[in-house]
DNA sequence: GTGACGGATGGGAGCGCTCCCACGCTGACG
DNA sequence: CGTCAGCGTGGGAGCGCTCCCATCCGTCAC
């Protein structure tokens, strides 16, 4: 029995007689044979491996529910396709160089990029190297070639629309990082909605954070220190909203009576706060799946849509009750 | 210039003249040459890649601060050694089979196993295949060949010692999963300490959870439903303590006045609760580093200690104040 | 009975790299 | 001046696999 036949069986290609197939499988079982992936990759030029690069430090990645959702979606879809996921956190110093080196050494079929900040060299570097790449979310200043994102503009709008609809007029926005389109768009959407409701953009108090709970606390404190307390607050992430909730309470303001509070993500934490948190749900798991879908298309050389935008949905809970 | 010389330069082996080295490096820079890792692996039989398998679903891994700490330690130490980390979550259905297949296909130099439950076939399978493996924590029933763990027995003891020292006598333990040694030992340690303080083991209320916040709520509710409320509660994880805190408050019991509460992990969340949470600190990042250290030793064929036990330290905060 | 056809099979070639051997050159020593 | 040691270098061999071509055998039509 030649190597050719064995190879055919293991890659279940046609034109193999049942007898030969059985013989090969029996031999494989008996010898505990496991094909050498390096050798296979060397000739097929594929690795059946996809890497996810998150440009944040480990603490952030593991602390924020947003990432868990995305990774789940990615992992599920990749498993269906029979591919392995390599997770890399390139937040720390030197992480980027190491990631770039790894990625270009031709042992991944494609790359998923998450949480891109401004001036990240990775997308263009990878494109230049010919590694198929799909981004989840984009930096504020540039637009990656293949992008899956949620409609942050509409999400921000829906949050403020709701605050206004429940009678709030003195608004504050605790914005996310302004070097990411998600941070910027949520803010812009919120301001658009305020304006549409007849509120001057300049009258909306804005403080910038980085999506973390700690930054939410800081931003909320900043807003309270700067002027009269708002009666409606939109935080760009649930974690920031949780931080804000604490600061508001410490300042003697009741949520939702004195202040309506809206978060973003619709993470599990929303149901654990008191009151429960109204939030803009983003379909994180689906976003992960779609990213993989687009990437698989690119790897296969198929024509794929360069941009995919997923919609958000407002989930109303106690923190904005009237 | 022959391939041999080029190879020598790229692997910076000695016996290369400076002139040849410069020439090679110049050529590399000019051509944008990147060595093919598959080809290298094929001949060296090394991949410079280590995989971390966490036997939990994604949600858990990303939700629990414990994992973030371990991964940080692992990532740091691995980066120092110039190795890549592949993160695999094998919690979902079929995850184990896929992981096992991947791991045995000879593209990882070693495996780190985390959160092993009883009857996990992975450790013995990998040993049989000759893949160097190091476990972080062990299942309740078996003992992996190479193990890095924290002293859960002493940790559980220190928690109850402290409760007793602050005058609590009616104790409850919200235990972790009993198919893991960490869950079992923390409970046993706690009961040992109770007994040492003259409290009958049988009088300590015990409810079992799985380290999650939700399970902490359930376990606390179970204890409250079963008899008179305790005045001292030891939860096997901080997340469980947070859940318990909520249930205690809803039951009209004040922490720390009516009930003293101790968690385990000393996660960031301890400082975010009200009152702040007394907790048993476990050196998670260091545990990650040590796991890598042992694994690197095994990969290099060095003699390494089969067992390493790291000590815990009680951090006292408001939740046990008197 | 013979020729043509098609599916199954065996094996050569080669993927890109490292390993190692052999060779050439230089410098020191007899 | 010849010889030998030793560093640098070039290139053959081979890692384990897939691809593809040539071959073989069984089948069917004429």
């Amino acid at each position: 029995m030649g190597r050719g036949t064995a190879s055919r069986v293991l890659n279940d290609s046609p034109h193999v007689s049942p007898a030969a197939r059985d013989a090969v499988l029996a031999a494989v079982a008996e010898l505990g044979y496991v094909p050498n992936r390096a050798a296979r990759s060397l000739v097929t030029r594929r690795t059946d491996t996809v890497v996810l690069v998150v440009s944040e430090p480990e603490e952030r990645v593991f602390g924020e529910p947003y990432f868990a959702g995305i990774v789940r979606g990615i992992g599920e879809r990749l498993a269906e396709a029979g591919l392995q996921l390599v997770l890399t956190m390139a937040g720390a110093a030197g992480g980027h160089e190491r990631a770039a080196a790894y990625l270009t050494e031709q042992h991944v079929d494609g790359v998923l990029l998450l949480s891109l900040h401004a001036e990240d060299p990775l997308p263009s570097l990878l494109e230049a190297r010919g590694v198929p790449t799909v981004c989840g979310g984009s930096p504020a200043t540039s637009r990656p070639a293949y992008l899956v994102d949620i409609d942050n503009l509409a999400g921000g709008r829906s949050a403020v629309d709701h605050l206004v609809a429940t009678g709030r007029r003195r608004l504050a926005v605790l914005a996310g990082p302004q070097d990411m389109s998600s941070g910027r768009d949520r803010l812009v959407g919120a301001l658009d909605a305020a304006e549409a409701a007849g509120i001057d953009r300049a009258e909306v108090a804005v403080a910038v954070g980085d999506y973390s709970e700690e930054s939410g606390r800081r931003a909320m404190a900043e807003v309270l220190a700067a002027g009269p307390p708002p009666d409606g607050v939109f935080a760009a992430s649930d974690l920031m909203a949780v931080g804000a909730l604490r600061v508001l309470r410490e300042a003697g303001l009741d949520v939702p009576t004195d202040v309506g509070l809206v978060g973003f993500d619709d993470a599990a934490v929303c149901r654990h706060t008191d009151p429960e948190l109204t939030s803009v749900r983003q379909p994180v798991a689906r976003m992960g799946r779609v990213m993989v879908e687009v990437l698989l298309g690119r790897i296969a050389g198929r024509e794929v849509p360069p941009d995919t935008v997923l919609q958000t949905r407002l989930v109303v809970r106690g923190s904005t009750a009237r």
Side-chain angles (χ1 to χ4, degrees), chain A:
Chain A
M1 188 176 47
R3 309 183 321 281
T5 306
S7 175
R8 261 171 296 236
V9 171
L10 294 175
N11 296 296
D12 45 31
S13 72
H15 307 313
V16 181
S17 71
R21 160 164 286 117
D22 290 349
V24 170
L25 293 178
V28 164
E30 191 190 345
L31 300 173
Y33 170 82
V34 178
N36 182 315
R37 200 117 174 187
R40 172 178 288 175
S41 291
L42 185 57
V43 46
T44 59
R45 342 227 82 216
R46 287 185 313 107
T47 58
D48 294 327
T49 299
V50 160
V51 65
L52 169 64
V53 181
V54 187
S55 302
E56 303 284 348
E58 277 92 347
E59 302 87 84
R60 299 281 306 267
V61 177
F62 284 92
E64 293 177 24
Y66 169 73
F67 293 113
I70 300 247
V71 171
R72 195 169 78 243
I74 291 175
E76 283 174 5
R77 185 64 191 85
L78 238 29
E80 289 169 19
L83 299 188
Q84 261 294 327
L85 173 64
V86 175
L87 183 62
T88 303
M89 279 141 298
H96 257 84
E97 290 66 34
R98 299 204 327 115
Y102 181 78
L103 299 180
T104 49
E105 270 175 341
Q106 308 157 51
H107 43 172
V108 295
D109 294 345
V111 178
L112 299 167
L113 254 30
L114 216 54
S115 203
L116 283 176
H117 291 260
E119 314 306 338
D120 196 314
L122 231 34
S124 47
L125 175 66
L126 291 171
E127 285 300 334
R129 295 277 189 188
V131 183
T133 304
V134 173
C135 297
S138 88
T141 46
S142 61
R143 196 164 186 77
Y146 290 84
L147 174 65
V148 176
D149 205 349
I150 63 152
D151 194 338
N152 290 298
L153 227 39
R157 240 184 283 131
S158 71
V160 166
D161 281 348
H162 176 64
L163 285 173
V164 169
T166 54
R168 277 91 180 184
R169 307 281 302 174
R170 298 192 316 280
L171 302 180
V173 177
L174 312 182
Q178 295 298 298
D179 61 346
M180 299 204 266
S181 73
S182 66
R184 206 177 271 202
D185 287 355
R186 288 174 200 178
L187 172 58
V188 171
L191 294 177
D192 287 351
E195 195 166 41
I199 301 170
D200 193 334
R201 291 176 98 94
E203 276 173 19
V204 178
V206 175
V208 175
D210 64 3
Y211 291 142
S212 72
E213 182 178 344
E214 173 57 27
S215 80
R217 271 206 293 271
R218 269 202 308 272
M220 191 69 248
E222 194 179 309
V223 166
L224 291 180
D231 62 0
V233 174
F234 165 47
S237 81
D238 284 339
L239 252 32
M240 290 184 76
V242 169
L245 185 59
R246 192 172 305 265
V247 170
L248 287 170
R249 185 162 295 156
E250 283 166 9
L253 293 165
D254 184 72
V255 174
T257 314
D258 301 323
V259 184
L261 181 60
V262 180
F264 205 108
D265 279 352
D266 192 34
V269 72
C270 293
R271 263 151 290 158
H272 295 349
T273 55
D274 178 28
E276 296 190 357
L277 199 58
T278 293
S279 188
V280 179
R281 160 174 295 173
Q282 46 176 339
V284 277
R286 194 147 68 80
M287 178 162 159
R289 296 188 72 91
V290 172
M291 285 177 70
V292 173
E293 206 60 62
V294 174
L295 184 63
L296 292 176
R298 290 208 59 197
I299 291 173
R302 256 179 274 134
E303 193 79 22
V304 293
D307 290 283
T308 311
V309 177
L310 305 177
Q311 292 306 314
T312 62
R313 186 163 64 80
L314 186 77
V315 179
V316 178
R317 296 202 183 82
S319 70
T320 51
R322 267 305 190 197

